[in-house]
Amino acid sequence: MSAGTEAGPSRWRAGLGRLVAGAALLTAVALLPWLSGNDPALTVLRARSADQGPTPEQLAAVREQLGLDEGPFTHLAHWLGGLPRGNAGTSWVSGEPVLPEVTTAFAVSVTLVLGALVVTLAVAALVCTPTLYLGSRRRLRRARAGTAAALLAALPKFLLASLLATVCGVWLGWFPSSGWEGPASMVLPALALGVPSGAMIGGLLDQSLPAAFQEPWARTWHAFGFRPGTVARNALRRSLTGVLPQLLPTVVGLVGGAVVVEKIFNIPGLGRLALDAAIAQDLPPLQTATLALVLLGVVAGLLIQALRRALLGPALRDGALPALHAPALARRRSTRWIAGFCAVALLAPVVVGLLRDPLQVDTAARLLPPSAAHPLGTDSLGRDLLARLGHGALRTAAVALAVTAVSVLVGLLLGSAARMSAGLMEVASTLPAVLAGLLTTAVTGPSVWGAALAVCLVGWTPYAAQAAALIEEERASSHMQASLSFGAGPWHLTRRHYLPAVLPAVLRNALLRLPTTVLVLASLGFLGLGEQPPTPEWGRLLSENQPYVELAPWTVLGPACALVLLSVLAVSGTALGRSRR
């Protein structure tokens, strides 16, 4: 059965999945004040007046005013009932109507993400241009390791935002370093968000282009003298279909997930609003912001799916899609040297750091620059950064790899059942990891594994989107139809067709996203939802020292370089492994 004949019956399943996933998320958000174990009245009263000491009478008045004794489901029903009338309730903290505030923040975030999308596409084009140029001229002899894409993708967004705000905003005065007043205010945050995202998308596209240039049509067109630009455009169109679903979790997901960048540039976006509302347990704006993210994810997912089908054309419907098979290209010698250099540069400071005390505090040695005594300098408490880097290496790598492995496994399972999980995928793609962390912490309490669970709840979506797209194309290929006609069973199809088509691309995606996983875990720990201080961990080192970037840039240089080296080493090591096979 072709992909086109199955599309009709699957639409209602996807629609039902979207409805169920959205309702489950909104219900979980409604339960947040009651799940957290904290008195919602106390949290709201402190948010209204931090200096006011709460009394039992004041708490009782807040409970009566907000109707907290009625329970979460009554509040959820009242809130849903007001939405058709354009009434999303009033803020428990400020007393102002919620809908205008959320609408304004949503517009700001969407505008910022559109700017980041422009930067993403530009960076992705720069990353894959060499492959497009060589492949369209039949001169692609050696495979690219993807180290440049891995380096850019590993850049922490909040660190890049701080550097751009300091250098281009404060020192040079080229663009505003804070606020949201016009198009100029969008440039620096869009760069901070778009450069790593563009490297991610470009790296994935660069790895899939060689297979498109090996298709029969590309060889035929070249032999008949078609212009290289025409061949390049059609190869790009063919490769985009497998990468396009990554826009949803990578770019669209920034609407609610760019919280740190919004704070650095003082942008009144939806991410900040949702985080502040969640911390204050201000339920009406949190529910409305969550609903806006759900609707955005569903609409963006439908648009991306429609664009994919338009790019693939009738071949997807008719089961005549040629399969993409990566050619056996020789590896550059530099790949081995790059991998060796990264391994030595990463292991040497880790081994030396393990010989030092990461918890020794010396207030007289605060923010010291690198020296013989402290090769990477000291932090704001006078602790040796080399020691903290070394002792945090194993824990950082272990947790990040465990989260990545679980996310990949879940993504593969749900991606293979895309007709049932499409709605869940779209909803989870735009769910901020911070909000997922608040929900999981309310049940498990603050811990490193609670933060890991939160990241897993949203981290599977890029892999599921990629697996679903690749499996859909594999099902519509002509050789798949031949296997089915010969009576191939599900296990044979999975082992011989689906896994070879999906697993290598998903693993490369996971390695590119490994530093991002570390940083998301760190952001949860920085908010008190994950790894607690003074435990040394690379992401936490970046989060703790980010306020001192301008005064003492060396405090973030060590962990940032370690993340970059880890990403490049992972990608280079994978490239060497493929060349040996």
Side-chain angles (χ1 to χ4, degrees):
M1 184 179 295
S2 68
T5 58
E6 294 180 350
S10 67
R11 288 195 183 98
W12 70 269
R13 297 177 185 172
L16 181 62
R18 295 182 183 100
L19 182 62
V20 171
L25 178 58
L26 290 174
T27 302
V29 169
L31 291 171
L32 180 60
W34 285 266
L35 289 175
S36 63
N38 300 323
D39 186 358
L42 178 60
T43 306
V44 171
L45 187 61
R46 286 176 175 172
R48 291 177 176 178
S49 178
D51 299 331
Q52 183 178 354
T55 63
E57 293 78 12
Q58 291 172 330
L59 293 175
V62 171
R63 291 191 191 95
E64 182 179 359
Q65 177 190 359
L66 303 180
L68 295 177
D69 294 334
E70 298 177 358
F73 296 106
T74 302
H75 275 280
L76 180 59
H78 288 327
W79 176 75
L80 290 173
L83 290 179
R85 304 189 303 271
N87 179 19
T90 58
S91 170
W92 289 358
V93 175
S94 65
E96 298 294 329
V98 167
L99 194 58
E101 183 182 14
V102 172
T103 302
T104 302
F106 182 78
V108 169
S109 291
V110 170
T111 304
L112 176 59
V113 168
L114 290 177
L117 178 61
V118 173
V119 177
T120 297
L121 296 179
V123 174
L126 290 175
V127 169
C128 63
T129 291
T131 302
L132 277 172
Y133 179 84
L134 295 173
S136 61
R137 290 162 174 79
R138 310 298 297 175
R139 290 160 52 185
L140 193 62
R141 303 288 184 266
R142 294 181 178 273
R144 289 158 53 83
T147 53
L151 190 150
L152 292 176
L155 291 176
K157 290 183 175 68
F158 65 86
L159 179 58
L160 185 58
S162 298
L163 291 175
L164 289 173
T166 301
V167 177
C168 300
V170 178
W171 293 354
L172 302 177
W174 289 348
F175 302 100
S177 61
S178 180
W180 188 261
E181 300 176 357
S185 303
M186 187 173 62
V187 174
L188 297 183
L191 286 172
L193 296 173
V195 169
S197 299
M200 186 85 62
I201 300 294
L204 296 174
L205 187 59
D206 191 58
Q207 294 294 330
S208 63
L209 277 171
F213 285 119
Q214 290 298 313
E215 288 188 329
W217 67 265
R219 297 194 296 268
T220 303
W221 286 20
H222 178 75
F224 275 89
F226 277 69
R227 298 179 60 181
T230 304
V231 178
R233 283 196 305 272
N234 283 274
L236 183 62
R237 174 180 177 176
R238 179 67 181 93
S239 301
L240 269 176
T241 57
V243 180
L244 198 59
Q246 298 300 303
L247 289 178
L248 186 61
T250 303
V251 180
V252 179
L254 293 175
V255 172
V259 180
V260 178
V261 174
E262 289 178 355
K263 285 195 171 187
I264 291 174
F265 289 102
N266 194 25
I267 297 174
L270 194 65
R272 282 185 62 186
L273 187 149
L275 176 61
D276 294 341
I279 293 176
Q281 297 192 21
D282 193 359
L283 207 52
L286 178 59
Q287 288 175 319
T288 309
T290 303
L291 178 61
L293 292 174
V294 169
L295 294 177
L296 175 67
V298 171
V299 172
L302 292 174
L303 290 175
I304 290 174
Q305 184 180 13
L307 181 57
R308 278 192 67 250
R309 293 184 179 276
L311 289 174
L312 289 171
L316 179 66
R317 181 189 65 244
D318 299 336
L321 197 66
L324 290 178
H325 295 291
L329 299 176
R331 287 288 155 192
R332 299 178 184 272
R333 293 183 179 180
S334 59
T335 303
R336 192 184 306 274
W337 290 102
I338 289 173
F341 171 79
C342 291
V344 172
L346 189 61
L347 289 176
V350 168
V351 172
V352 175
L354 288 172
L355 304 177
R356 297 167 174 255
D357 185 3
L359 302 178
Q360 182 179 357
V361 175
D362 183 3
T363 55
R366 297 176 63 251
L367 300 178
L368 290 180
S371 62
H374 304 285
L376 295 182
T378 61
D379 63 7
S380 59
L381 296 179
R383 295 173 296 191
D384 185 73
L385 286 172
L386 179 60
R388 296 183 65 75
L389 181 74
H391 283 267
L394 182 59
R395 193 175 188 87
T396 299
V399 177
L401 288 173
V403 169
T404 300
V406 172
S407 299
V408 168
L409 181 60
V410 174
L412 288 173
L413 293 175
L414 293 179
S416 62
R419 295 178 184 85
M420 298 297 297
S421 63
L424 178 61
M425 192 188 311
E426 292 163 357
V427 171
S429 292
T430 53
L431 177 65
V434 173
L435 181 55
L438 289 168
L439 292 173
T440 56
T441 302
V443 179
T444 65
S447 67
V448 62
W449 296 113
L453 176 60
V455 178
C456 289
L457 287 177
V458 297
W460 59 270
T461 55
Y463 315 120
Q466 187 177 26
L470 295 176
I471 288 176
E472 183 183 32
E473 295 179 20
E474 187 70 13
R475 281 175 176 158
S477 62
S478 55
H479 70 270
M480 176 68 75
Q481 307 305 316
S483 295
L484 289 173
S485 66
F486 282 112
W491 171 243
H492 177 85
L493 294 177
T494 300
R495 186 166 54 94
R496 293 292 186 181
H497 294 283
Y498 296 148
L499 285 180
V502 171
L503 199 55
V506 171
L507 289 179
R508 289 195 296 269
N509 192 0
L511 292 174
L512 276 174
R513 294 181 182 275
L514 189 60
T516 303
T517 302
V518 174
L519 294 173
V520 174
L521 288 167
S523 65
L524 295 178
F526 191 68
L527 294 171
L529 306 175
E531 188 74 86
Q532 300 299 302
T535 304
E537 191 265 337
W538 290 357
R540 171 164 284 280
L541 295 183
L542 287 169
S543 300
E544 289 177 341
N545 295 306
Q546 183 269 331
Y548 308 101
V549 168
E550 185 176 357
L551 177 63
W554 56 84
T555 56
V556 298
L557 188 61
C561 290
L563 283 177
V564 170
L565 290 172
L566 178 64
S567 179
V568 175
L569 177 61
V571 172
S572 302
T574 303
L576 290 174
R578 291 200 308 270
S579 65
R580 291 192 185 98
R581 291 194 296 270

